Amino acid sequence: MKTGLDPGILRHRLYVEAPYEVPDGAGGVTRAFETVGLVWGLIEPLGGTELLAEERLVQRLTHRIILRRFAGLTAAHRLRKGARLFDIRAIREDVPARSYLTLLAEEVAP
């Protein structure tokens, strides 16, 4: 079935990372991430804002990321491209073929 998307545009190599928790020794936990997969995708910048948080200027950059379907992907996962990290905010299955996902993601400082 034709999807209208040229798979050749998926030129960004992205690592899918899943969260897990590690006891911190003081009764709490620390969240860490482990790589669970590699996908090819397209990263398209959407926009950005600046805001003051904890007495420093913080930039928030949003992106649309298109990738091949990755079973089990949720908003708890994140994507990594080199040193760049992308928190997933929303996931949409592209219809009719459902072989691609479109993500709304926010780039975060490592």
Side-chain angles (χ1 to χ4, degrees), residues 13-110:
R13 186 180 183 152
L14 300 163
Y15 291 92
V16 178
E17 297 183 340
Y20 66 95
E21 294 180 344
V22 178
D24 66 5
V29 294
T30 300
R31 176 178 263 192
F33 287 85
E34 65 180 335
T35 301
V36 295
L38 171 67
V39 294
W40 289 91
L42 172 66
I43 302 171
E44 299 177 310
L46 294 177
T49 60
E50 290 182 335
L51 57 104
L52 192 60
E54 298 177 11
E55 299 184 21
R56 66 185 181 102
L57 194 59
V58 176
Q59 290 184 339
R60 296 226 168 132
L61 303 172
T62 57
H63 303 273
R64 176 180 22 246
I65 301 175
I66 300 170
L67 48 91
R68 289 191 188 277
R69 185 172 176 77
F70 188 88
L73 187 69
T74 69
H77 291 85
R78 72 179 183 189
L79 301 174
R80 181 173 46 84
K81 180 182 185 292
R84 297 172 70 190
L85 298 173
F86 301 92
D87 283 343
I88 299 170
R89 300 293 182 219
I91 301 173
R92 185 186 81 207
E93 278 189 35
D94 289 336
V95 231
R98 298 179 190 245
S99 57
Y100 294 96
L101 298 174
T102 299
L103 314 177
L104 177 60
E106 184 176 310
E107 188 168 356
V108 295

